[in-house]
């Protein structure tokens, strides 16, 4: 992709469609992630205290406390799983939509076809890199050029920050899954601490995702209504 040339709009591919409704739905759904995450952290912290108590003196623990923790964790698992699947569907719909819009804005600005905005998420190892490339290329294609029509670089920090923390949360969740079920009471206590860290990281990734979604959606709105070149 040449960054010195003006955005070529003489060969549009497809048509622009607003991603605003999907972006709003995503914002609401993503906002629920840190809420559930904080609740999960609270439960995990309580569970870790209980397991510390078990390690110190098993006779002091009441069975009802463990039953309550188990019930809350089961409820959280159902809620987080359901929210996660809905988020996957809505996010991919939004991601594909903005990618298609990006191709209208800058037909020569992409290294893969628009179908990879969906497929890249489902190919092992490739999904650690390619979605980020699609996001960065869409981000650059959606930004207005300089007033004279030349390419004007725009900071991709929102994209990079979201992706870095998202991958970190992904790795942590995988590690938590590999550590479950824990063996001894001490290992179970440590597993609760690790899961709390994973929940906090996932919540941070969700907040950064909101920033990325809102900013990219706004970039496309501005370019669609004000034209490919900035006024100043």
């Amino acid at each position: 992709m040449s960054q010195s040339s003006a955005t070529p709009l003489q060969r549009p591919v497809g048509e622009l469609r607003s991603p605003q409704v999907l972006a709003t739905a995503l914002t609401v759904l993503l906002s629920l992630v840190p809420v559930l995450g904080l609740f999960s952290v609270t439960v995990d912290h309580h569970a870790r205290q209980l397991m510390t108590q078990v390690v110190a003196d098993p006779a002091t623990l009441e069975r009802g406390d463990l039953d309550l923790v188990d019930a809350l964790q089961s409820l959280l698992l159902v809620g987080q799983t359901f929210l996660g699947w809905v988020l996957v569907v809505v996010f991919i719909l939004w991601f594909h939509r903005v990618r298609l819009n990006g191709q209208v804005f800058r037909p020569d600005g992409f290294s893969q076809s628009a179908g990879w905005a969906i497929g890249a998420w489902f190919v092992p190892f490739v999904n650690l890199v390619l979605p980020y490339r699609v996001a960065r290329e869409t981000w650059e294609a959606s930004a207005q050029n300089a007033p004279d029509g030349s390419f004007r670089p725009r900071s991709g920090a929102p994209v990079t920050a979201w992706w870095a923390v998202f991958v970190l949360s992904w790795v942590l969740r995988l590690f938590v899954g590999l550590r479950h079920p824990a063996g001894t009471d001490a290992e179970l206590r440590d597993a609760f601490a690790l899961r709390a860290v994973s929940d906090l990281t996932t919540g941070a990734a969700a907040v950064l995702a909101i920033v990325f979604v809102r900013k990219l959606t706004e970039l496309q709105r501005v370019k669609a209504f004000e034209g490919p070149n900035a006024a100043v």
Side-chain angles (χ1 to χ4, degrees):
M1 174 172 49
S2 173
Q3 295 186 349
S4 60
S5 61
T7 299
L9 295 178
Q10 69 274 19
R11 297 184 293 104
V13 179
E15 61 178 340
L16 291 175
R17 292 178 59 187
S18 174
Q20 185 60 58
V21 173
L22 289 170
T24 300
L26 263 181
T27 300
V28 173
L29 292 170
L30 287 166
S31 298
L32 295 176
V33 174
V35 173
L36 285 180
L38 288 175
F39 183 37
S40 180
V41 167
T42 301
V43 173
D44 288 339
H45 177 68
H46 180 60
R48 187 172 185 275
Q49 287 182 320
L50 291 178
M51 296 317 300
T52 300
Q53 183 179 340
V54 168
V55 172
D57 185 2
T60 62
L61 184 68
E62 296 185 8
R63 183 64 202 178
D65 292 333
L66 288 177
D67 290 340
L68 176 60
V69 167
D70 287 341
L72 289 174
Q73 288 179 332
S74 297
L75 182 63
L76 277 167
L77 179 62
V78 172
Q80 289 176 323
T81 301
F82 178 75
L83 176 61
W85 279 110
V86 174
L87 258 175
V88 165
V89 172
V90 178
F91 184 88
I92 289 179
L93 287 174
W94 171 84
F95 197 61
H96 187 243
R97 181 67 261 160
V98 294
R99 166 61 181 82
L100 290 174
N101 285 346
Q103 189 162 326
V104 177
F105 291 135
R106 190 179 178 119
D108 68 343
F110 296 89
S111 54
Q112 285 84 29
S113 67
W116 281 106
I118 298 174
W121 297 95
F122 302 100
V123 182
F125 301 108
V126 171
N127 55 13
L128 294 175
V129 178
L130 192 51
Y132 171 71
R133 179 184 294 180
V134 174
R136 279 303 301 263
E137 291 176 345
T138 303
W139 180 272
E140 292 175 5
S142 302
Q144 285 183 302
N145 297 314
D148 63 359
S150 61
F151 179 82
R152 180 168 65 179
R154 186 180 183 91
S155 172
V159 189
T160 302
W162 157 66
W163 188 251
V165 179
F166 172 71
V167 171
L168 176 60
S169 70
W170 200 350
V171 171
L172 284 174
R173 288 199 305 272
L174 179 62
F175 189 62
V176 168
L178 292 175
R179 289 284 301 272
H180 181 80
T184 66
D185 291 335
E187 290 174 340
L188 186 58
R189 177 195 60 195
D190 295 340
F192 284 130
L194 180 60
R195 189 159 63 183
V197 173
S198 175
D199 286 332
L200 289 173
T201 307
T202 299
V207 171
L208 291 170
I210 291 174
V211 174
F212 164 59
V213 168
R214 301 307 300 179
K215 284 186 176 294
L216 180 51
T217 301
E218 178 62 13
L219 283 178
Q220 294 201 340
R221 186 196 69 79
V222 170
K223 193 165 187 176
F225 282 95
E226 298 182 9
N229 302 331
V232 293

